[in-house]
Amino acid sequence: MSAADNTRAASPAAIAVAYFLVYVVWGSTYFFIGVALDGLPPMLLGALRFSAAGLLLLALCAARGERVWRRALVWRSAVSGLVLLFVDMAVIMLAQRYVSSSLVAIVASSTAVWIMLLDVPAWRQTLRNPAAVAGILLGFAGVAMLYVEQLGDAPGGEQDGWRGMALLVCGCVSWALGTLYTKYRSGGGPSGGFAGAAWQMLTASAAFWLCAAVGDDLRHTDFGMVPRRAWAALAYLVVCGSTLAYTAYVWLLGVRPAAEVATHAYVNPVVAVAIGAGFGGERVTAVQLCGLAVILLSVALVGMKRRR
C-alpha cells in the first residue's frame, strides 16, 4: 500500500487523536519529567520509564501478531535507541537539575535546525536555499539569546546555567545525529513498526539501568520516601508519553507526510512553556519568549525547503 493509500485509509478522527498525542502529550512530558525527578534520580527514572513502556509495547505488538524477534530489526532499533532515546532523554533529565522544563523545551525546538546543519549529503541543496540558510542562522541566534540569559538565571547561578545549556545543546546534537543515522543507515521511516519502537525503548532502558548501577541509584533511593506525585508522573510518562505518544508518532509517519508530522517541533515547546508557567509556577521571561519565537521562525524557514 502506498503512502497516499495510507493517507486515504486513515480516518480524520484517528489522525486528530494522534496529533493531539504528539502535540500536547509530548509537550507536557517536559513538565512531568521535572515532577518525577523530585523523587527519583535521572538514570533510575529513565530505566523505570523505558523498561515499563518497552515491555508494555512489545507485549502489545506480540498480541497483534507482529514479528518482534527479527534480528535485523532489533539491531537497528538498538543503535537508534541508544543515540535517540538514551542520550537525548538522559541529557534532558540531567539538564532539568539546572534549568526549568520550559527552557529545556524551548532549546529542544532547535533540533530541526541541527538536523539541517549536520545533514552533510543534503548540504548542496540546503545551501542553495536562502530560507534554509536564514533559518539555520536564526536558530543559532535564538539559542544564543537563551544561553546568555540563562547563565545568571539558573537556580545555582552562572555555573549551573553553563551546565544546563551545554547539556541541552549536546542533547539536540545527539538527537539530530540519531535521526540522520536512522535516515541513512537503518532505512529510516517507520518500517520497523511499533516493535521497532519497543526495542528502542528496551535498549535505552538497558543503558539507563547500567548507569543507575554505576551510580548505585537503587541503594541510595528510599522508594518509601518518593512522593506520590513523582510516581504519578512516572506512570504518565510510561503510558502517555512513551507508549501512546511515541506510537502515535510512528503511526502518523506512515499515514501523513513526514514534513507535516515534524510540525510537532513547533508546538511542543509552546505547550511545555504554558504548562510549566501555569501548573509548575515556572518564570517565563521576555527573553525566553523572544528566543522561542526566533527558534520557531527558524524551524519554519528550514521547513520551507522540504515543503517545496
Side-chain angles (χ1 to χ4, degrees), residues 80-241:
S80 297
L82 287 175
V83 179
L84 287 172
L85 291 179
F86 170 65
V87 175
D88 186 69
M89 291 309 304
V91 163
I92 286 176
M93 291 187 293
L94 290 172
Q96 287 192 218
R97 286 185 163 185
Y98 307 110
V99 297
S100 69
S101 63
S102 298
L103 185 64
V104 171
I106 291 172
V107 177
S109 66
S110 67
T111 301
V113 178
W114 285 104
I115 291 175
M116 292 294 295
L117 182 66
L118 297 172
D119 192 355
V120 177
W123 274 4
R124 178 175 297 180
Q125 183 179 5
T126 299
L127 296 179
R128 288 179 178 175
N129 186 281
V133 175
I136 291 173
L137 296 176
L138 273 176
F140 282 108
V143 173
M145 290 172 61
L146 299 171
Y147 210 115
V148 171
E149 186 198 37
Q150 187 63 26
L151 294 183
D153 195 48
E158 184 174 328
Q159 187 175 9
D160 276 1
W162 276 103
R163 288 174 179 171
M165 288 299 296
L167 283 169
L168 289 175
V169 171
C170 289
C172 290
V173 172
S174 174
W175 185 272
L177 291 174
T179 299
L180 293 174
Y181 170 83
T182 301
K183 175 181 179 180
Y184 292 114
R185 297 294 183 182
S186 64
S191 59
F194 297 155
W199 284 116
Q200 287 180 15
M201 295 179 196
L202 290 174
T203 303
S205 73
F208 276 116
W209 278 119
L210 178 61
C211 292
V214 171
D216 211 5
D217 285 353
L218 287 174
R219 187 169 66 88
H220 291 127
T221 302
D222 185 352
F223 290 98
M225 297 299 293
V226 175
R228 290 183 179 179
R229 64 194 304 264
W231 289 119
L234 173 59
Y236 179 87
L237 292 170
V238 169
V239 176
C240 299

Side-chain angles (χ1 to χ4, degrees), residues 203-290:
T203 303
S205 73
F208 276 116
W209 278 119
L210 178 61
C211 292
V214 171
D216 211 5
D217 285 353
L218 287 174
R219 187 169 66 88
H220 291 127
T221 302
D222 185 352
F223 290 98
M225 297 299 293
V226 175
R228 290 183 179 179
R229 64 194 304 264
W231 289 119
L234 173 59
Y236 179 87
L237 292 170
V238 169
V239 176
C240 299
S242 294
T243 307
L244 293 179
Y246 193 65
T247 53
Y249 176 74
V250 171
W251 180 79
L252 279 172
L253 285 175
V255 301
R256 303 301 300 171
E260 179 184 301
V261 181
T263 56
H264 74 86
Y266 303 16
V267 182
N268 287 166
V270 178
V271 172
V273 168
I275 293 177
F279 295 97
E282 296 179 355
R283 185 172 68 91
V284 181
T285 68
V287 174
Q288 288 180 357
L289 292 177
C290 289

